[in-house]
Amino acid sequence: MHNQLQYISQGNTVEEQVYNIHKALDNGCDWIQMRFKKNYSDDAFTLAEAVKMLCKEYLATFIINDNVYLAKQLEADGVHLGLSDMSVEEARLILGKTKIIGGTANTFEDVLQRTTENCDYIGLGPFQFTNTKQNLSPILGLEGYRSIIGQMQAKNIQIPIYAIGGITLENVESLMETGIHGIAVSGLITQTENASQLINQLNDKLYVTI
Ligand SMILES: Cc1ncc(COP(=O)(O)OP(=O)(O)O)c(N)n1
Ligand SMILES: Cc1ncsc1CCOP(=O)(O)O
Ligand SMILES: [Mg+2]
C-alpha cells in the first residue's frame, strides 16, 4: 500500500524544483510527484534525472506528472494522469504492469471510470480553492468527499483515494474521517518554514485515523 502523503513539486526552474523536492525528502516525505509544467523540455529531462537520483538516495517513490514517455525513459516509479492526459490504458502499455498509475477524479462517475481503467490510486479533488492549479474543477468540500466515498462504499469499490487541493494541517483529520486513504499536497509543504515539524504533524494525523 502506498504512503499516505504525496508531495507534489513546485518551481519555475530546475533549481527551484530540486530545492523544494530536496526539502520535502530531507524532512520525511517519501513519495514525490514531479510536477513541472515545462514537462516536455530539455529542462524536464535534466530535472527528472536529478529527482530520480535524490529519490534513490532517500528511498522515496518517484512519479512524474503528465509525461508518460519521460517516466518510461527515466524508469520512474510511475505517473499521475489527469482526465485530459494520456489514457491509463495507453500509459499501462508503455510503462508495464508494475508501475504506479494515478488518475484524477472530480466526481463519482470519474471514480468509476478510473476504477475500470485500473488506476492504482485516485487523486480526488479539488478539496478547496488553491492557487497551485489553474482551471480548477468544481470544489468538493468535505460534503463532496463524504458523498463520493459513501457511493463507493455502497458499491464496494476499493481503491486508495487521495484528497488534493488547498489542503492545510487543520483539514486532515476531517478529511480522513470521510474515508480517504491519504493526501497529496503541494503549496503547504513548499511554503512552510518548518518542513520537519509540518511533515511530522501531517503524518501523525494521517496514521492515527487509518
Ligand atoms: C495526486 C494528484 N491528483 C490530481 C492531480 C491533478 O492532475 P491533472 O488533473 O492532470 O492536473 P495537473 O496536475 O496535470 O495540472 C495531480 N497532479 N495529482
Ligand atoms: C494539482 C492539483 N490538482 C487539483 S488541485 C491541485 C493543486 C494541489 O496543490 P496545493 O496543495 O498547493 O493546493
Ligand atoms: Mg495532468
Side-chain angles (χ1 to χ4, degrees):
M1 188 51 81
H2 308 297
N3 191 298
Q4 290 171 273
L5 176 62
Q6 182 185 127
Y7 170 64
I8 301 181
S9 69
Q10 278 188 26
N12 292 323
T13 63
V14 172
E15 291 72 23
E16 281 174 18
Q17 285 269 341
V18 168
Y19 176 87
N20 290 331
I21 290 168
H22 199 181
K23 178 172 97 170
L25 290 168
D26 215 23
N27 290 290
C29 272
D30 61 8
W31 188 0
I32 304 293
Q33 178 187 149
M34 180 190 126
R35 183 171 183 269
F36 183 56
K37 282 297 175 181
K38 298 163 202 155
N39 213 350
Y40 293 87
S41 61
D42 289 347
D43 274 359
F45 184 82
T46 307
L47 173 61
E49 275 189 318
V51 181
K52 167 132 182 166
M53 273 167 57
L54 277 173
C55 286
K56 194 171 172 197
E57 183 186 333
Y58 284 87
L59 304 177
T61 301
F62 166 41
I63 68 170
I64 296 180
N65 178 255
D66 293 347
N67 190 338
V68 177
Y69 297 107
L70 187 59
K72 173 78 178 171
Q73 204 175 1
L74 266 293
E75 294 181 11
D77 297 307
V79 285
H80 186 93
L81 299 172
L83 289 158
S84 333
D85 296 319
M86 181 188 281
S87 74
V88 174
E89 189 184 13
E90 195 178 348
R92 192 64 81 193
L93 284 173
I94 293 168
L95 295 177
K97 282 187 191 152
T98 59
K99 297 296 183 182
I100 301 167
I101 301 183
T104 302
N106 175 248
T107 63
F108 177 61
E109 287 66 35
D110 297 340
V111 169
L112 284 180
Q113 179 190 323
R114 285 341 207 155
T115 311
T116 311
E117 290 170 339
N118 276 322
C119 274
D120 294 294
Y121 76 87
I122 289 173
L124 179 65
F127 168 58
Q128 54 191 7
F129 177 78
T130 174
N131 281 316
T132 306
K133 182 173 162 60
Q134 310 301 308
N135 304 318
L136 284 176
S137 296
I139 285 167
L140 295 177
L142 275 181
E143 215 25 72
Y145 286 87
R146 284 191 196 111
S147 160
I148 291 171
I149 289 166
Q151 293 175 78
M152 288 175 66
Q153 285 163 351
K155 291 204 174 329
N156 199 22
I157 295 168
Q158 289 173 5
I159 180 166
I161 297 284
Y162 286 75
I164 180 167
I167 296 173
T168 66
L169 190 58
E170 291 68 37
N171 306 136
V172 179
E173 267 169 293
S174 44
L175 276 167
M176 289 302 286
E177 280 164 14
T178 67
I180 61 164
H181 175 74
I183 56 173
V185 296
S186 184
L188 185 66
I189 290 177
T190 308
Q191 281 145 30
T192 183
E193 285 174 8
N194 192 341
S196 168
Q197 182 181 305
L198 172 67
I199 291 164
N200 282 335
Q201 288 172 325
L202 286 171
N203 279 329
D204 283 348
K205 289 183 188 290
L206 289 165
Y207 294 135
V208 162
T209 336
I210 200 167

